[in-house]
Amino acid sequence: MYSGLFLLMVLTLSFLARRSLCTMAEPSLYSIAYVTVPDNEVAKKLAHGLVSNKLAACVNIIPQLTSVYEWEGKINEDSELLLMIKTRSAKVEPLTKYVKENHPYSVCEVITTPITGGNQAYLDWISKTVPE
């Protein structure tokens, strides 16, 4: 009797452990998008467009990056700037579309990551600034 109960307990615990490992975390309401640009003029144009079109609450323009990458079989090294864009996760698709339509590169970088925590007042400000 105890061995059957023990086996049932082990199987139940194993099932619960696997279930909790496989359960997806709740999707984040907020995301950060990273976009590289060739110069300050492009950076400001994109930043102003994203904010004025309510696709982003804030865009930080980070200067003086050196990007080393392979393109068309050659290793390249270029000076670039980085845009760090705070937005709602629901706006990532239209934000990406806007960047692609207004970026000078034929294949532009738009990489996003969810925001999983932070100052709640700041996150609330993103919600207020970027409508659903």
Side-chain angles (χ1 to χ4, degrees):
M1 174 164 199
Y2 287 110
S3 63
L5 182 59
F6 178 76
L7 180 60
L8 179 61
M9 188 172 71
V10 168
L11 289 173
T12 301
L13 289 173
S14 174
F15 169 77
L16 291 174
R18 276 183 302 196
R19 189 171 136 214
S20 68
L21 288 174
C22 295
T23 302
M24 297 296 293
E26 220 173 287
S28 175
L29 294 176
Y30 312 101
S31 290
I32 295 176
Y34 298 100
V35 175
T36 52
V37 294
D39 57 46
N40 203 44
E41 183 181 325
V42 172
K44 286 183 177 183
K45 177 185 170 198
L46 285 173
H48 281 268
L50 290 166
V51 173
S52 66
N53 284 294
K54 301 291 187 185
L55 296 171
C58 176
V59 179
N60 300 115
I61 299 172
I62 304 167
Q64 300 179 334
L65 294 177
T66 301
S67 295
V68 178
Y69 58 96
E70 182 178 330
W71 182 251
E72 296 179 344
K74 286 178 34 186
I75 303 297
N76 296 279
E77 182 176 310
D78 290 316
S79 293
E80 294 185 298
L81 296 85
L82 179 68
L83 304 182
M84 187 171 74
I85 307 162
K86 278 76 74 177
T87 191
R88 287 180 177 268
S89 295
K91 294 292 185 176
V92 166
E93 190 174 320
L95 180 149
T96 301
K97 183 178 186 294
Y98 180 88
V99 171
K100 288 169 62 176
E101 289 173 352
N102 292 279
H103 201 290
Y105 296 166
S106 60
V107 178
C108 59
E109 173 183 358
V110 181
I111 297 173
T112 62
T113 188
I115 297 172
T116 59
N119 177 1
Q120 191 58 52
Y122 186 84
L123 300 175
D124 292 344
W125 172 75
I126 293 173
S127 288
K128 192 173 165 183
T129 306
V130 179
E132 290 185 65

